[in-house]
């Protein structure tokens, strides 16, 4: 395992190969002295940097500098959380969650001419967008955005893509609140349809995972990869600190739960991005070891990811023995 940006606190990586380099798009944890809260209000997070490398385990990691600041976004309230970037026809589109002036998370779009930015934001958020953690996946000519997060991510405020009067989680015996998936418009600037639920099935029963199944159900941090013709929906279980995955036959699912990608790291949250580069797969994530365990100051990390002969992901120990 390797820390990628030892001199600053970066988290929530989105990672892609552009122009034969790995580009990393993290959120930015900024020290505030605030007290930790489950709703995430201690996170200041007001800008994005972009990093790139041609050797994630050993090579130089270039900081391309600040590419978007909250002051540049006309509709901004506060908190730039996890973003992602997609390329189409030589343009690069950054999708970012941000609380508007009413303190409601929306998803905005910013555009650049190269993967290192800078990114210029559109004047308004995407129509019909909500919650956090957008992750964009290209499949053929189509682009899909996966998103959603509980608690501070506000997903519990919505049912059927509409805000409800009394936000709540479902009871333990009910189906878990799912993440969302939606196809993007051809111009990459809007949602092309109503977001759909990302259903994760129990392999034993074929039924959706229950809300009380805290070590398997979705919480936040969606990521999608395609491997050997199958679609791997990857995600965090949030308060149980696991990275898990489920497999389906198409981008919409349903997906059948398979297992853990990574056991808990040091720190409250966990988040991932997986990328294939020059014949190997890598998983990017964060932990809080460099900050002394402060859960709101996270650091980027990378290690190799492996599959077995049946296409199952080999579980990674989040904390190495030397870190325990």
């Amino acid at each position: 395992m390797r820390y990628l940006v030892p001199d600053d606190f970066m988290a929530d990586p989105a990672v892609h190969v552009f122009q034969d380099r790995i580009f990393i798009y993290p959120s930015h944890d900024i020290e505030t002295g605030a007290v930790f809260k489950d709703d995430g209000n201690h996170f200041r997070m007001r800008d994005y940097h972009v990093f790139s490398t041609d050797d994630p385990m050993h090579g130089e990691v270039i900081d391309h500098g600040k590419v978007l600041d909250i002051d540049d976004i006309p509709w901004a309230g506060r908190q730039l959380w996890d973003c992602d970037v997609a390329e189409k026809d030589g343009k690069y589109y950054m999708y970012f969650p941000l609380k508007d002036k009413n303190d409601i998370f929306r998803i905005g779009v910013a555009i650049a001419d190269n993967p290192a930015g800078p990114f210029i934001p559109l004047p308004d958020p995407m129509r019909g967008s909500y919650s956090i953690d957008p992750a964009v996946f290209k499949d053929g000519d189509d682009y899909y955005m996966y998103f959603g997060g509980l608690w501070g991510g506000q997903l519990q405020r919505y049912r059927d893509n509409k805000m409800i009067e009394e936000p709540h989680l479902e009871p333990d015996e009910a189906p878990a609140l799912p993440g969302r998936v939606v196809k993007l418009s051809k111009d990459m600037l809007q949602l092309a349809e109503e977001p759909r639920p990302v259903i994760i099935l129990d392999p034993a029963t074929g039924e959706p995972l229950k809300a009380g199944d805290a070590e398997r159900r979705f919480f936040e941090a969606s990521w999608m990869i395609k491997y050997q013709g199958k679609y791997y929906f990857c995600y965090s279980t949030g308060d149980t600190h696991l990275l898990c995955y489920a497999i389906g036959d198409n981008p919409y699912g349903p997906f059948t739960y398979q297992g853990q990608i990574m056991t808990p790291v040091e720190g409250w949250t966990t988040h991932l991005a997986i990328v294939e580069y020059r014949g190997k797969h890598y998983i990017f994530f964060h932990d809080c070891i460099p900050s002394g365990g402060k859960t709101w100051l996270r650091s980027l990390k990378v290690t190799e990811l492996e599959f077995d002969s049946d296409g199952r992901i080999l579980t990674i120990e989040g904390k190495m023995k030397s870190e325990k």
Side-chain angles (χ1 to χ4, degrees):
M1 294 186 179
R2 178 194 183 190
Y3 284 108
L4 292 165
V5 187
D7 299 325
D8 206 346
F9 295 112
M10 301 284 170
D12 304 327
V15 184
H16 297 280
V17 177
F18 298 133
Q19 300 175 358
D20 198 35
R21 289 181 66 82
I22 289 178
F23 281 83
I24 307 160
Y25 302 92
S27 56
H28 188 189
D29 287 353
I30 299 171
E31 176 68 272
T32 65
V35 176
F36 171 80
K37 296 181 179 180
D38 285 342
D39 61 6
N41 281 334
H42 54 286
F43 287 119
R44 186 162 177 246
M45 303 172 76
R46 58 169 296 110
D47 60 35
Y48 295 123
H49 283 237
V50 172
F51 301 87
S52 72
T53 183
D54 62 4
D55 183 352
M57 297 305 298
H58 305 289
E60 179 185 12
V61 177
I62 296 174
D63 182 355
H64 296 278
K66 184 167 64 176
V67 299
L68 182 63
D69 189 282
I70 199 168
D71 290 339
D72 301 327
I73 303 168
W75 55 276
R78 63 193 179 108
Q79 296 179 328
L80 285 165
W81 285 16
D82 168 52
C83 70
D84 197 10
V85 171
E87 183 274 335
K88 184 177 182 181
D89 298 332
K91 293 286 187 180
Y92 296 85
Y93 299 85
M94 175 180 279
Y95 301 89
F96 58 90
L98 173 65
K99 286 181 177 177
D100 64 16
K101 298 182 190 301
N102 295 315
D103 225 31
I104 301 299
F105 268 116
R106 310 293 184 192
I107 297 174
V109 186
I111 305 172
D113 292 325
N114 69 76
F119 288 84
I120 307 302
L122 298 184
D124 298 295
M126 303 174 83
R127 293 187 297 273
S129 66
Y130 57 93
S131 199
I132 62 168
D133 291 357
V136 179
F137 171 70
K138 184 178 187 294
D139 191 42
D141 294 328
D142 294 319
Y143 292 77
Y144 300 85
M145 183 170 70
Y146 299 82
F147 68 94
L150 300 177
W151 294 10
Q154 301 182 345
L155 191 59
Q156 69 275 7
R157 296 186 179 198
Y158 296 85
R159 299 294 188 279
D160 298 323
N161 303 313
K162 295 179 175 60
M163 188 174 285
I164 59 176
E165 291 186 6
E166 298 181 3
H168 63 278
L169 300 175
E170 295 301 304
D172 285 355
E173 65 276 9
L177 285 179
R180 305 289 193 268
V181 57
V182 61
K183 188 180 291 187
L184 296 178
S185 60
K186 295 299 183 183
D187 64 6
M188 304 291 282
L189 304 181
Q190 298 293 340
L191 311 182
E193 59 187 1
E194 286 284 311
R196 309 185 192 189
V198 178
I199 302 300
I200 302 172
L201 303 176
D202 186 322
T205 66
E207 297 296 321
L209 295 182
K210 305 299 185 184
D213 192 351
E215 293 196 347
R216 296 193 300 173
R217 58 92 176 96
F218 171 84
F219 189 98
E220 63 185 0
S222 302
W223 192 258
M224 175 62 71
I225 63 170
K226 192 174 183 179
Y227 182 74
Q228 295 183 346
K230 296 290 186 179
Y231 297 83
Y232 287 59
F233 177 67
C234 309
Y235 59 97
S236 169
T237 62
D239 56 333
T240 51
H241 322 300
L242 297 165
L243 295 178
C244 297
Y245 74 107
I247 293 179
D249 294 323
N250 67 80
Y252 291 117
F255 301 92
T256 300
Y257 178 85
Q258 299 296 310
Q260 297 175 10
I261 302 171
M262 182 177 289
T263 61
V265 301
E266 182 70 35
W268 195 95
T269 65
T270 190
H271 201 105
L272 83 156
I274 296 171
V275 68
E276 183 180 6
Y277 184 62
R278 297 180 179 175
K280 294 183 177 181
H281 284 84
Y282 298 91
I283 182 170
F284 294 74
F285 58 104
H286 63 237
D287 68 21
C288 297
I289 291 174
S291 70
K294 293 182 179 179
T295 60
W296 60 93
L297 293 173
R298 300 162 295 175
S299 295
L300 288 180
K301 212 168 187 181
V302 64
T303 194
E304 288 190 33
L305 182 83
E306 296 181 298
F307 299 81
D308 69 15
S309 58
D310 295 321
R312 298 183 65 87
I313 294 174
L314 301 182
T315 303
I316 298 167
E317 292 295 322
K319 288 188 288 188
M320 304 300 287
K321 291 182 179 179
S322 61
E323 298 172 348
K324 294 181 179 179

